[in-house]
Amino acid sequence: MRFEKWQALGNDYVIVEGEGLEPSLTPARVRLLCDRHTGIGADGVLELLPPDEPGFVARLRIHNPDGSEAELSGNGAREAIMYLRRAGWTDATQFSIQTIAGEIRPTITGPTTCIVDMGRARLTSRDWPDGPEDGRGEIRGHAFQHVSIGNPQCAIRVDDVAALEALDLVAEGGAIECDPRFPNRTNVSFWTELAPGRIRARIFERGAGETQSSGTGSCGAAVAYVLRGGDERVTVVLDGGELVVHVEEDLHIDLSGWAIPVYEGHVSDELLALLRDA
């Protein structure tokens, strides 16, 4: 089993090409691969497959470290995009990829950078079936903005940086992630404004927990900021670095950032045996 390890702002994924992969990925095998003590260690596994529709370069499946499957990941998507270009799946500057959330369309802007057309965000979705038209609600004493970017986001504004940094992200984020009003669980972004067009965010990801960065989480926070009257071009400051999110008037989103390889290798015979047994 050949793999590459990639990271984007500290959000790390194992990338495998799924066609003919043996053994195939299952939730138990994904959990083993992502384990930082007994596996490769990662925030998830990106599985790249040949497309099953014309007009696409590849089909991307995003496996969370708990074995569940995510509809979309901004950082994971960029890692997959740059891998596809580097591995020779395409030499185009613009191309399309299939995901559970639908088509994403990147534009390569440099050796390690790209802009990803993330589609149009929505304020209502099946992920909060009882939510109002404006996507606003309250949970655990926090006012929140529901945003769907292929996956559900719960964006919560915090008064200032001191309050944001002092927040118990695991306790608050974990409780909100599994709140019964979100039948498919939800990602949670806590954010505060630093300056016009610049926000700080801390993100708890569904199926992964606290992360150094999250592309879709950043998009959710940026949409919430813009809906409150903020600038359309938003720099999101995360523990792992900065992402730029452009939110148009109709909530169409472009996400800009980088992704780089860390190392490549083959799974050992011993780990392969454990994977087959998992």
Side-chain angles (χ1 to χ4, degrees):
M1 181 188 289
R2 181 188 172 277
F3 69 90
E4 290 194 13
K5 176 81 171 283
W6 281 64
Q7 67 99 357
L9 284 76
N11 200 187
D12 59 334
Y13 282 87
V14 170
I15 300 180
V16 296
E17 297 189 9
E19 188 174 40
L21 186 69
E22 197 286 314
S24 60
L25 293 181
T26 64
R29 288 168 181 157
V30 167
R31 288 193 293 269
L32 179 54
L33 285 171
C34 292
D35 192 289
R36 297 189 184 275
H37 300 287
T38 58
I40 298 168
D43 288 329
V45 178
L46 305 176
E47 183 181 10
L48 289 166
L49 297 150
D52 55 19
E53 295 181 21
F56 294 91
V57 165
R59 181 160 50 96
L60 170 63
R61 295 183 65 192
I62 303 167
H63 302 273
N64 290 322
D66 68 353
S68 62
E69 191 166 352
E71 299 91 341
L72 191 58
S73 163
N75 288 331
R78 287 200 317 284
E79 292 168 39
I81 288 160
M82 302 312 296
Y83 172 92
L84 289 167
R85 179 66 179 265
R86 187 170 178 262
W89 285 53
T90 181
D91 59 3
T93 300
Q94 290 185 321
F95 51 92
S96 294
I97 299 173
Q98 292 174 290
T99 72
I100 293 177
E103 177 183 5
I104 58 171
R105 186 167 178 80
T107 301
I108 305 294
T109 54
T112 62
T113 58
C114 64
I115 299 170
V116 185
D117 179 345
M118 302 287 284
R120 185 169 174 259
R122 291 176 291 119
L123 307 183
T124 60
S125 76
R126 61 183 177 84
D127 297 308
W128 187 21
D130 299 324
E133 290 292 318
D134 62 6
R136 294 180 181 176
E138 185 170 325
I139 189 167
R140 292 178 63 85
H142 303 292
F144 74 88
Q145 175 69 61
H146 174 71
V147 182
S148 177
I149 310 165
N151 59 13
Q153 307 291 328
C154 182
I156 297 170
R157 181 183 176 275
V158 178
D159 288 338
D160 53 44
V161 173
L164 179 61
E165 301 303 340
L167 182 76
D168 187 340
L169 184 65
V170 173
E172 289 296 303
I176 295 169
E177 174 199 10
C178 298
D179 188 279
R181 78 188 74 181
F182 305 121
N184 302 309
R185 300 184 292 167
T186 186
N187 301 285
V188 189
S189 299
F190 293 91
W191 65 276
T192 192
E193 184 176 3
L194 299 175
R198 189 174 182 84
I199 66 174
R200 165 80 171 115
R202 296 181 64 201
I203 298 167
F204 189 94
E205 279 201 334
R206 178 186 58 167
E210 183 174 3
T211 61
Q212 290 195 48
S213 68
S214 167
T216 54
S218 296
C219 291
V223 169
Y225 167 74
V226 170
L227 288 173
R228 295 175 66 94
D231 296 345
E232 291 186 353
R233 181 179 172 85
V234 188
T235 298
V236 184
V237 180
L238 304 151
D239 290 336
E242 298 182 358
L243 290 172
V244 176
V245 184
H246 186 263
V247 183
E248 296 179 5
E249 188 174 346
D250 64 353
L251 301 187
H252 184 275
I253 296 173
D254 286 326
L255 175 65
S256 303
W258 55 266
I260 58 173
V262 180
Y263 59 84
E264 60 183 272
H266 291 82
V267 170
S268 71
D269 291 342
E270 290 80 4
L271 180 54
L272 201 58
L274 292 173
L275 289 167
R276 290 191 178 113
D277 290 341

